[in-house]
Amino acid sequence: SIGGGELAKGEVRARMVAATVRLLAENGPPGASFGDVLASTGASRGSTYHHFPGGKRELYQAALDLASDRALVALEPARGKAAEVVVKQFFAMWRRLLTGTQLRAGCAVLAVAVAGEEPETVEHAGEIFRTWRVQLGSMFVDGGLGRARARALAALTITAAEGAVAVARAEQDLEPFDLVARQVIAAART
């Protein structure tokens, strides 16, 4: 049986990873240090070394995996539907993040990729983007598109959404995001 102490340790790790996702999405790596994560979660300094013996790289990779899993789960209800529906679902996921954080949060994966601080972590971000492209492409094929068109639309959807999120945050305005979303949704129809 799992004792209360072991469960609490797992909860501390999970809280630290979730806080890192949020901090990366809001501030990028400069605002997601171990100190920032500890301040956000109330965890002890020793817990960082216990839960993440690989250091910040291990913490960031766990956070990126959580962010990726959340995105993939949010997309799954659109599986088997037309490409337009899948694209709408993808943009709706990002719009909820923007509105739910008053345009403070973007994509944690993109934040790490563009910061370029540590090659292994940037490579991990690239693997996640590839996974998303494959997942979207697979969903577009399931919805009736040919493989080549599905691959292209998957790349367009991800890159357009990521750019639209970044611009909306920078401008503190949803208009550019919504304009891009409408264009990509229209492209998915043709």
Side-chain angles (χ1 to χ4, degrees):
S1 94
I2 296 176
E6 289 177 52
L7 183 59
K9 287 177 186 174
E11 288 172 3
V12 169
R13 186 181 196 286
R15 277 197 334 263
M16 290 176 74
V17 170
T20 303
V21 171
R22 182 180 52 77
L23 291 168
L24 286 169
E26 290 178 1
N27 310 317
S33 68
F34 271 137
D36 296 319
V37 172
L38 294 174
S40 177
T41 61
S44 69
R45 171 118 351 236
S47 62
T48 59
Y49 306 108
H50 174 74
H51 293 295
F52 305 99
K56 190 164 66 168
R57 180 178 358 134
E58 184 178 349
L59 173 63
Y60 279 13
Q61 289 182 359
L64 296 183
D65 289 344
L66 176 60
S68 179
D69 291 347
R70 287 174 175 172
L72 294 173
V73 166
L75 277 176
E76 224 19 69
R79 182 166 294 282
K81 298 184 177 158
E84 174 185 356
V85 175
V86 176
V87 171
K88 281 182 183 176
Q89 182 88 1
F90 192 75
F91 275 90
M93 170 187 73
W94 290 113
R95 195 173 201 288
R96 280 190 305 276
L97 176 69
L98 288 168
T99 58
T101 64
Q102 292 75 48
L103 299 166
R104 282 191 318 270
C107 177
V109 180
L110 181 65
V112 167
V114 299
E117 285 187 353
E118 199 173 271
E120 295 88 357
T121 306
V122 172
E123 184 179 318
H124 195 75
E127 291 168 8
I128 288 170
F129 284 134
R130 270 189 295 283
T131 297
W132 289 0
R133 279 192 308 112
V134 168
Q135 180 81 352
L136 277 172
S138 150
M139 292 177 80
F140 293 148
V141 168
D142 288 352
L145 293 187
R147 290 200 186 285
R149 175 118 192 281
R151 287 182 65 223
L153 183 59
L156 173 65
T157 300
I158 291 168
T159 58
E162 292 287 355
V165 167
V167 171
R169 287 184 68 212
E171 290 187 15
Q172 285 296 290
D173 188 349
L174 282 170
E175 182 184 27
F177 178 86
D178 290 337
L179 290 169
V180 169
R182 282 196 291 276
Q183 290 300 310
V184 179
I185 291 164
R189 279 189 210 117
T190 59

